[in-house]
């Protein structure tokens, strides 16, 4: 039987025995009960931060981006740092849902939904920064190539900034579609549980008339595989193109060919750290420790060790090439990074990104959610500083010493950045309330993983009488009592 | 489909796979099988052919690629050639990133659209759903070839393969 995983070497993905019905109950429960006061407090904070951020953005759009701390030398700083920071975070979701799918990593099933949602929200936050940076965001449509009465003056297709427009918008669209396609069967599950009312009506529309037909499932699996195949190069292309914003320029410290892989590794590194931050809270608050297990956390920390190692290697390579190239400007840029006026930012970056992931070599730390949580925050801080270091230190010492300058963010810039966290957490908290945050259908399909007798099989199969017995009909009996699996009111 | 359809309900994956195979081997017409999650091996058991949606994906990707290259060539070479940093008007390597992105965009959107159209999934669909098949039940729907009476034999067969309940419906959505 193709979906039986009875190897004694494998460990169950769902650590508690559960029936199919119980899983549905458990995953749907948070969205069917009234929100707790803790949720309201968290939501209140997130919305007020978002509101403050929106006010600040309103102020800077009305006044002009002169309210930022930028100057003639440092034309890119906080906003582009935050843009790259959020886009990077937005990489883990599609990595988990597409790349781990192609690699048949079945443990992804219980985290992919939430990680993809996180991706979408992070990309929304990221897209805000270039939009605000335009100064006149209502003219944002000028970045699209459309026939116009300026002669048709077209956009410059040779510019990496334009590639970025296409990369980010395609990434957002395809991720959203991928996420929605994955949601359809679960929306139908919620629809069929809902009693008549608004919820039923809404989910009926959203689930598009899904019936669970295997003819549809068969096509659905094909589409899912195709989307995973398309999203995999897409996710790699996005940060590659973001890195080209820098790499195609002639600024020392930016003009390097290792930027694409270096940025992609950094994006996955920071994205997984953010997934861990969110998942560690979510699994405890919603009681999903048996679905998002320590093994999930451990696997993600291992990916962090790998990508952290890649990032460290990139730092070292940059330094080596700066010396080996014999280019005095390049050499100066890197010496200035490590020992110049922004050395503090550089060494925060090195501590957080190069040193701290190595704590994950210890099994004790890999299996302690509290320790992972702290380290995931440390890594996010480190990755923010990485972008800050790359952007600001490369710019602030110009070719011409007379234009050397320093950069300090203003309250407006800091407020905008904090505001995007408000947006991110507002959307995430809403998501937790209104949609199943774990893919019900996919977790059901791995429920029997490595469980002898298959937890999803409540009682021994009836013996085929007279009929020549199919060899597959002989399956070991399950210890799970019949009552639990067949009664809908069984305690969950 | 207006002929009556026999529904057999099962409560686990192994039995539904087994019963599907048996029903098909016995020569009944499998209307459909309904499952709460994608059951691997069920396509083979039902004798479904691989989906042709892969061709839609390939075709749409090709279209996206062609359109993207044409758009960039037209705007940068034909419509208003601008000298940017002394680069050639047809700076083909610089056109690749946008071409790639549009290829993926077209392929992904067209594949999903074709899937929704082929599976007749759309908002406002009034299709009825069998009880609990989106939760914890698996159902096999058998349509008779000729006389509805032969459904008795199908019912017997499904019972022997572990059906927990059977039901006769006048009509069922595909």
């Amino acid at each position: 039987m193709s979906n039986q995983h009875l190897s004694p070497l494998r460990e169950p993905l769902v650590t508690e025995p559960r029936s199919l019905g119980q899983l549905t109950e458990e995953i749907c429960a948070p969205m069917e009960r009234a929100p707790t006061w803790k949720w309201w407090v968290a939501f209140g904070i997130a919305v007020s931060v978002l509101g403050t951020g929106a006010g600040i953005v309103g102020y800077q759009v009305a006044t002009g981006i002169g309210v930022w701390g930028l100057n003639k030398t440092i034309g890119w700083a906080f906003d582009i740092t935050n843009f790259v920071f959020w886009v990077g975070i937005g990489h883990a979701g599609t990595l988990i849902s597409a790349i781990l799918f192609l690699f048949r990593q079945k443990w992804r099933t219980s985290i992919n939904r939430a990680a993809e949602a996180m991706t979408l929200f992070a990309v929304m936050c990221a897209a805000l920064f270039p939009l605000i940076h335009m100064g006149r965001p209502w003219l944002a449509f000028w970045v699209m190539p459309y026939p116009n009465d300026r002669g048709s003056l077209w956009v410059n297709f040779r510019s990496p900034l334009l590639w970025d427009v296409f990369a980010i918008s395609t990434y957002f669209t395809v991720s959203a579609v991928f996420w929605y396609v994955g949601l359809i069967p679960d929306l139908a599950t919620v629809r069929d549980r809902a009693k008549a009312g608004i919820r039923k009506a809404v989910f009926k529309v959203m689930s598009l008339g899904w019936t669970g037909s295997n003819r549809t499932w068969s096509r659905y699996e094909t589409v899912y595989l195709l989307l995973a195949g398309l999203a995999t190069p897409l996710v790699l292309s996005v940060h590659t193109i973001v890195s080209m914003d820098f790499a195609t320029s002639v600024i020392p410290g930016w003009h390097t060919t290792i930027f694409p892989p270096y940025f992609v590794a950094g994006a996955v590194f920071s994205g997984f750290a953010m997934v861990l931050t969110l998942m560690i809270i979510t699994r405890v608050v919603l009681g999903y420790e048996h679905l998002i297990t320590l093994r999930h956390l451990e696997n993600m920390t291992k990916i962090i060790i790998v990508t952290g190692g890649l990032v460290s290697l990139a730092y070292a390579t940059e330094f080596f090439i700066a010396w080996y190239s014999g280019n005095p400007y390049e050499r100066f840029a890197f010496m200035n990074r490590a020992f110049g006026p922004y050395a503090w930012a550089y060494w925060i970056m090195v501590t957080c990104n190069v040193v701290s992931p190595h704590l994950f070599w210890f099994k004790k730390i890999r299996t302690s959610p509290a320790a992972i949580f702290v380290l995931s925050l440390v890594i996010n801080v480190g990755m923010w500083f990485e972008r800050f270091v790359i952007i600001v230190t490369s710019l602030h010492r110009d070719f011409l010493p007379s234009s050397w300058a320093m950069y300090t963010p203003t309250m407006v810039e800091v407020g905008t950045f904090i505001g995007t966290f408000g947006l991110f957490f507002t959307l995430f908290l809403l998501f937790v309330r209104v949609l199943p945050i774990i893919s019900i259908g996919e977790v059901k399909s791995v429920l029997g993983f490595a469980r002898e007798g298959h937890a999803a099989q409540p009682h021994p199969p009836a013996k085929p009488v007279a009929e020549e017995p199919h060899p597959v009909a002989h399956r070991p009996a399950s210890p799970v009592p019949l009552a639990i699996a067949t009664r809908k009111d069984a305690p969950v | 489909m207006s002929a009556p359809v026999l529904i057999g309900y099962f409560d686990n994956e192994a039995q539904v796979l087994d019963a599907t195979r048996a029903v098909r081997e016995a020569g009944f017409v499998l209307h459909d099988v309904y499952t709460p999650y994608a059951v691997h091996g069920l396509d083979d058991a039902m004798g479904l052919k691989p989906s042709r949606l892969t061709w839609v994906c390939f075709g749409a990707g090709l279209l996206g690629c062609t359109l993207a290259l044409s758009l960039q060539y037209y705007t940068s070479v034909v419509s208003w050639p601008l000298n940017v940093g002394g680069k050639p008007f047809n700076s083909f390597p610089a056109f690749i990133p946008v071409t790639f992105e549009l290829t993926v965009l077209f392929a992904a959107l067209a594949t999903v659209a074709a899937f929704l159209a082929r599976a007749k999934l759309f908002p406002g669909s009034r299709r009825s759903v069998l009880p609990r098949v989106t939760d914890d039940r698996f159902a096999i729907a058998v349509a008779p070839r000729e006389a509805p009476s032969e459904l008795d034999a199908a019912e017997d067969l499904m019972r022997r393969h572990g059906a927990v309940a059977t039901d006769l419906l006048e009509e069922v959505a595909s």
Side-chain angles (χ1 to χ4, degrees), chain A residues 24 158 192 213-214 444 488, chain B residues 32-33 89 91 101 134-135:
Chain A
T24 316
R158 300 172 193 99
D192 295 341
S213 147
N214 193 60
K444 277 177 186 164
K488 294 295 289 176
Chain B
D32 212 334
V33 179
F89 294 135
S91 30
E101 299 299 330
T134 57
D135 181 6

Side-chain angles (χ1 to χ4, degrees), chain A residues 2-3 24 154 157-158 163 189 191-192 208 212-215 217-219 234 237 441 444 461 475 488, chain B residues 13-15 30-35 37 40 43 46 75 79 89 91 94 101 118 122 129 134-135 160:
Chain A
S2 52
N3 202 28
T24 316
W154 300 100
F157 281 106
R158 300 172 193 99
W163 303 346
T189 302
R191 171 199 66 196
D192 295 341
L208 311 177
S213 147
N214 193 60
R215 293 181 196 281
W217 270 121
S218 170
R219 296 189 183 106
L234 180 64
S237 83
K444 277 177 186 164
R475 305 207 31 74
K488 294 295 289 176
Chain B
E13 169 184 330
Q15 285 175 341
L30 267 176
H31 180 73
D32 212 334
V33 179
Y34 299 89
T35 57
Y37 57 87
H40 290 243
D43 293 0
M46 283 178 73
T75 56
S79 175
F89 294 135
S91 30
E101 299 299 330
R118 183 63 189 84
F122 55 93
V129 184
T134 57
D135 181 6
R160 274 185 284 127

Side-chain angles (χ1 to χ4, degrees), chain A residues 167-445:
Chain A
I168 303 285
S169 53
T170 300
Y171 183 57
F172 183 77
T173 314
V174 172
S175 299
V177 167
F178 196 22
W179 185 61
Y180 188 73
V181 167
L183 263 170
I184 296 173
D186 287 1
L187 295 174
T189 302
V190 179
R191 171 199 66 196
D192 295 341
R193 290 169 56 81
K195 295 171 188 63
I198 295 173
R199 175 191 292 269
K200 182 110 184 165
V202 169
F203 279 91
K204 193 163 185 165
V205 171
M206 295 206 324
S207 60
L208 311 177
W210 180 270
T211 57
S213 147
N214 193 60
R215 293 181 196 281
T216 306
W217 270 121
S218 170
R219 296 189 183 106
Y220 175 91
E221 292 276 276
T222 307
V223 169
Y224 203 84
L225 181 64
L226 287 172
L227 285 179
L230 289 170
T232 298
L234 180 64
V235 68
L236 300 180
S237 83
V238 174
H239 230 58
T240 298
I241 291 176
V242 168
S243 78
M244 286 173 180
D245 291 346
F246 304 101
T248 55
S249 73
V250 291
I251 307 289
W254 288 2
H255 188 62
T256 56
T257 47
I258 67 162
F259 257 33
Y262 164 25
F263 268 49
V264 170
V268 173
F269 182 57
S270 67
F272 269 81
M274 189 56 116
V275 173
L276 280 169
T277 311
L278 292 177
M279 288 298 112
I280 287 170
I281 303 175
T282 313
R283 72 195 278 272
V284 174
V285 171
L286 299 179
Y288 286 161
E289 279 109 328
H290 58 292
L291 294 172
I292 303 168
T293 61
L294 276 182
R295 177 177 166 194
H296 289 96
L297 303 184
E298 216 182 322
N299 283 351
M300 285 193 271
T301 58
K302 287 175 188 168
I303 292 179
I304 286 186
I305 296 179
V306 173
T307 49
L310 289 173
V311 168
S312 312
L313 180 65
Y315 295 161
T317 310
E318 276 188 323
F319 241 97
F320 172 74
I321 293 297
W323 165 74
Y324 188 69
S325 68
N327 179 336
Y329 299 102
E330 196 75 21
R331 191 180 303 185
F332 171 78
F334 279 90
M335 290 308 280
N336 180 52
R337 255 183 210 183
F339 305 109
Y342 286 108
W344 56 273
Y346 183 82
W347 293 107
I348 290 178
M349 169 190 103
V350 169
T351 315
C352 294
N353 296 349
V354 179
V355 181
S356 78
H358 291 290
L359 289 171
F360 284 137
W361 290 107
F362 299 101
K363 178 107 184 165
K364 262 216 164 94
I365 292 177
R366 279 206 311 275
T367 51
S368 152
I372 300 173
F373 183 74
V374 172
L375 280 172
S376 73
L377 291 180
V378 167
I379 289 167
N380 270 318
V381 171
M383 284 309 292
W384 187 88
F385 271 100
E386 178 196 298
R387 279 67 176 252
F388 182 82
V389 164
I390 290 174
I391 294 170
V392 174
T393 65
S394 303
L395 286 176
H396 85 128
R397 290 293 177 257
D398 205 345
F399 290 104
L400 207 59
S402 62
S403 55
W404 286 8
M406 291 297 284
Y407 166 78
T408 319
T410 62
M411 284 314 292
V412 175
E413 286 167 295
V414 177
T416 309
F417 181 46
I418 294 172
T420 53
F421 276 97
L423 175 65
F424 182 75
F425 284 105
T426 303
L427 291 170
F428 194 79
L429 286 164
L430 283 175
F431 161 68
V432 172
R433 288 293 319 161
V434 301
L435 290 172
I437 67 153
I438 290 179
S439 174
I440 308 176
E442 287 192 48
V443 173
K444 277 177 186 164
S445 74

Side-chain angles (χ1 to χ4, degrees), chain B residues 13-35:
Chain B
E13 169 184 330
Q15 285 175 341
V16 84
L17 272 169
D18 188 28
T20 306
R21 256 186 227 108
V23 166
R24 186 159 159 263
E25 278 164 18
F28 295 104
V29 180
L30 267 176
H31 180 73
D32 212 334
V33 179
Y34 299 89
T35 57

